[in-house]
Amino acid sequence: MTISLGARTAETVAVFFQNAQSPAIRRTLPMKAKTPEDALADFQDTQKPGARSYGRTIYADGQYVGDVWCYGMDPVGDPQAMVSYCIFAPELWGQGAATTALGLFLEEIRARFGLERIGAFTFAANTASVRVLEKNGFQLAEAFVEDGVESAYYLRQ
């Protein structure tokens, strides 16, 4: 399987939002956007000069299968950004697509923005996400309970 990253567009944002509504994804990926219009507005904000977020689409063998993005970008902050990712194609879960895509994305944001200290949140029970983060050099920095859910904060330095 060949994993590559592509540009996000208004069209891919709409496709992502629709696919990310599946119950399996909603259980593991908190989303700020509650409507397709919210998602589009968030995307449009990333296109403005000085935007503090940046994202890419994920392709597996040429098929659009998910997104990876960073937010809260601050070159002097610690961390310098937070990262999230989602493969919405369930047939690819557990196949390494997210691990590879995140690795490509981390290389890109390092080269493009100079970002090296990256944070990520995940639900502690989301073992697949934990594996993706750890395979990309993230280490558990803090475990905590938020809204009754065991969660974890990971750092990559």
Side-chain angles (χ1 to χ4, degrees), residues 74-123:
D74 178 2
V76 297
D78 195 13
Q80 295 171 307
M82 299 296 292
V83 70
S84 284
Y85 46 87
C86 176
I87 301 291
F88 57 70
E91 66 274 13
L92 295 180
W93 295 348
Q95 303 299 311
T99 299
T100 301
L102 180 59
L104 292 170
F105 186 72
L106 292 169
E107 290 174 17
E108 183 175 328
I109 62 172
R110 182 180 196 182
R112 184 173 180 156
F113 302 109
L115 303 176
E116 296 181 21
R117 295 181 317 277
I118 309 297
F121 289 107
T122 189
F123 294 134

Side-chain angles (χ1 to χ4, degrees), residues 20-73:
Q21 300 311 304
S22 79
I25 292 174
R26 297 298 294 155
R27 281 191 300 274
T28 60
L29 181 69
M31 290 182 54
K32 177 183 157 215
K34 302 298 181 206
T35 67
E37 294 78 17
D38 291 343
L40 182 58
D42 289 345
F43 164 71
Q44 289 169 336
D45 285 346
T46 70
Q47 304 303 295
K48 296 176 181 173
R52 292 179 35 117
S53 61
Y54 174 75
R56 301 284 276 159
T57 51
I58 302 169
Y59 290 84
D61 296 330
Q63 295 292 315
Y64 175 43
V65 298
D67 280 18
V68 58
W69 62 97
C70 61
Y71 57 96
M73 292 168 41

